Amino acid sequence: MDHSSHHSGTAHDHAAPAGGHGEHQGGHAHGTTWATAMKATLHCLTGCAIGEILGMVIGTALMWGNVPTMALAITLAFIFGYSFTLFAVVRAGVSLKAAIKVALAADTVSIAVMELVDNGIIALTPGAMDAHLSDGLFWYALLGGFAVAFVITTPVNKWMIGRGKGHAVVHAYH
C-alpha cells in the first residue's frame, strides 16, 4: 500500500499511535518522554556506529590518512543511520521517494550531532587518530565517543520529538 499520496512527511496530522507513543496530540507534540528520546537516539546511534566503525576499520586497515578515513566513516555513518529508518518506513508500505524524505527529516539532525560529538572526541583524544585497530586507544576513543554522543544527542532528540520533528516523523508510519 502506497502512503505517499496522503502522508505529508510530518507527524502533525496523525493521531497518537497506540503503545505508549503519546507524543502527538491535536497536531502538536506534548509530553515527550526521556524513554522515547533514548530509544530514538539508540536507534540512530546503532546505524551511525555500524557505519562509523566500518569506515574507521576500512580506512585504518588500508592505512589511509586521518582525513579520508574520517570522511569515509562519517559518510558511512549517515548512510547506515538513514538506512535503518528508510527500510523500516518502506516496510510499512511507504514509497521509496516518500521514505527517503521521512528518513532525511527524521535522522539528519540526530546523525549530524552524533557525528560532530563522536568525531570531535576522537580528534581531540591524544593519539587516537594515529592508533591502529589492534590498539586499545583506538577502540576506547571510538566507543567513548559513542557514549558521549548518546548523552548529548538524547536531549536534542527529546526537544525535536517534542516539537513533532526528528523521530516523531517516523512514528506516523508505525
Side-chain angles (χ1 to χ4, degrees), residues 2-96:
D2 183 8
H3 295 284
S4 63
S5 63
H6 63 271
H7 284 293
S8 64
T10 66
H12 291 274
D13 55 354
H14 299 281
H21 297 296
E23 292 87 39
H24 312 294
Q25 299 169 350
H28 300 286
H30 300 285
T32 303
T33 65
W34 283 104
T36 299
M38 288 172 61
K39 183 177 176 183
T41 306
L42 187 57
H43 168 89
C44 188
L45 179 64
T46 302
C48 287
I50 291 168
E52 179 113 7
I53 290 170
L54 185 60
M56 290 289 193
V57 167
I58 290 170
T60 302
L62 296 175
M63 295 188 287
W64 287 0
N66 293 338
V67 173
T69 297
M70 196 169 271
L72 177 63
I74 292 168
T75 300
L76 291 177
F78 272 92
I79 290 170
F80 278 87
Y82 286 137
S83 70
F84 277 33
T85 298
L86 181 68
F87 292 134
V89 174
V90 167
R91 217 175 19 246
V94 177
S95 73
L96 181 59

